[in-house]
Amino acid sequence: MNVRYLRLLLALAGLALAAATLAACGGEDPTPTPRPTPTAAQMQPTATPPPPPAAAKPTLIFSDLNWDSAQIQNAVARFIVENGYDYETDAVFGGTIPLMEALTRGDTHISMEIWLPNQQAAYDAAIAEGTITSIGKSLEDNWQSAFIIPQYTADANPGLRAVEDLPDYMELFVTADSRGKARLITCIPGWECEGVNEKKIVAYGLEDVVELVNPGSGEALNAEITSAFENGEDVLFYYWGPTTLSHRLNTEFDRYVNLEEPPYSDQ
C-alpha cells in the first residue's frame, strides 16, 4: 500500500475517534429537542403573598383615682401611651379600695399611685400572687396625716404638739355637729385611710375626745379646709401631699402643722 495513502487513512481514523470522544463527553447534539412554549399564565410574575395582619393592640385601662396627683399622672401617662406607643386607653374613676380590687381582678391595667402603708395588706397579697407588678415610684417625699392643725392654732397653743395633747385642747375644735368632742374632718369615703383613721382613734384612746366627720368628697374636704384657713378658724383635719391644696396652704396661708403620733406598734 502506498505510504502516503496509509498515512491519510490513519489521520481519518484519528479524527473519527476524536469526534466520538467529544460526543461521549457531552458535545452538542446536532438535532436539539425543541422546548415547549410557556402558556400566558406561566409567563405572569409570581405574586408575593401579603404579610399576616398585625395583632390588634389591647385598650389599656387606667385606674382614675379621685385626687389631683393621680389624675395629673394619669393624664400624662395616657398621652405618652397613646401618642408614643399607639395604644388606645380608657379610665375607670373611683376610690382606692374599689380600684385596688379592680386592678387585682384585671378590670384595670395601670394604677399610677398606690399609697402605702394604707393598702399594704392588699398590695402585699397581690404581689405575692403575681396579679400585679410594681415598676417603680411615681412620687417621692409623699406624706399623709390624720391630725393636722393650722400654724396659727399651734402658735396660739404651744402645748398642742401631739395627739396625746388633744384632750386638753378639745374645746378648740368643738362644733355644733361634733357631739361635744373635737371635730376631725377625716378621710374621703372609699379610701383605705377612712378605716385607718377610725382605728387610730381607738388605738390612741381618743374615742371620747375626737369625733370623725366624713367630708363626703374630696372637693368638700378641700373647701372646708380652705374656708377655715381663710377665716383664721381652728380646724383639725386629715390630708396628704404632694397636692395642690397642701402646696397652697404652705404658700398662700400660714402653713400647717402635723401633730406628732406615737410610733407604730403591733400591740
Side-chain angles (χ1 to χ4, degrees), residues 96-108:
T96 57
I97 295 176
L99 286 184
M100 184 65 170
E101 294 172 350
L103 185 66
T104 57
R105 287 195 308 266
D107 294 338
T108 66

Side-chain angles (χ1 to χ4, degrees), residues 152 226 229-231 245 248-255:
Y152 54 78
T226 301
F229 272 74
E230 288 176 340
N231 295 307
L245 181 60
R248 186 182 177 198
L249 296 180
N250 270 335
T251 55
E252 296 182 28
F253 298 104
D254 192 25
R255 302 180 66 84

Side-chain angles (χ1 to χ4, degrees), residues 40-255:
Q42 291 173 328
M43 295 178 66
Q44 295 295 325
T46 303
T48 302
K57 291 184 176 181
T59 298
L60 300 181
I61 311 298
F62 282 74
S63 299
D64 198 19
L65 295 156
N66 54 352
W67 62 86
D68 292 346
S69 60
Q71 291 176 0
I72 291 171
Q73 292 199 79
N74 268 11
V76 173
R78 290 181 65 182
F79 181 89
I80 293 171
V81 169
E82 291 175 358
N83 295 277
Y85 295 92
D86 198 29
Y87 278 84
E88 295 292 328
T89 73
D90 203 348
V92 175
F93 183 77
T96 57
I97 295 176
L99 286 184
M100 184 65 170
E101 294 172 350
L103 185 66
T104 57
R105 287 195 308 266
D107 294 338
T108 66
H109 305 128
I110 301 167
S111 181
M112 295 300 295
E113 294 185 25
I114 294 179
W115 284 65
L116 304 176
N118 286 3
Q119 297 177 275
Q120 197 73 55
Y123 175 82
D124 289 345
I127 289 290
E129 293 166 0
T131 53
I132 67 173
T133 300
S134 173
I135 59 174
K137 292 184 177 181
S138 62
L139 288 176
E140 296 290 344
D141 300 325
N142 52 75
W143 62 271
Q144 59 183 314
S145 176
F147 302 91
I148 306 175
I149 61 175
Q151 181 68 57
Y152 54 78
T153 299
D155 292 342
N157 302 276
L160 179 55
R161 290 292 178 266
V163 294
E164 292 93 339
D165 303 323
L166 280 170
D168 296 330
Y169 294 88
M170 181 178 67
E171 294 299 327
L172 291 173
F173 310 106
V174 172
T175 61
D177 62 347
S178 66
R179 302 193 301 173
K181 296 186 282 187
R183 182 177 189 267
L184 193 159
I185 315 169
T186 190
C187 183
I188 296 167
W191 291 13
E192 192 73 34
C193 49
E194 184 179 23
V196 171
N197 291 352
E198 293 172 356
K199 293 176 182 178
K200 282 186 174 183
I201 296 301
V202 174
Y204 298 159
L206 298 175
E207 300 100 314
D208 296 328
V209 177
V210 172
E211 179 74 9
L212 293 174
V213 176
N214 191 316
S217 67
E219 292 77 10
L221 175 63
N222 291 347
E224 189 160 352
I225 294 170
T226 301
S227 175
F229 272 74
E230 288 176 340
N231 295 307
E233 298 171 352
D234 297 318
V235 61
L236 179 64
F237 61 97
Y238 163 85
Y239 216 71
W240 72 99
T243 60
T244 302
L245 181 60
S246 63
H247 175 74
R248 186 182 177 198
L249 296 180
N250 270 335
T251 55
E252 296 182 28
F253 298 104
D254 192 25
R255 302 180 66 84

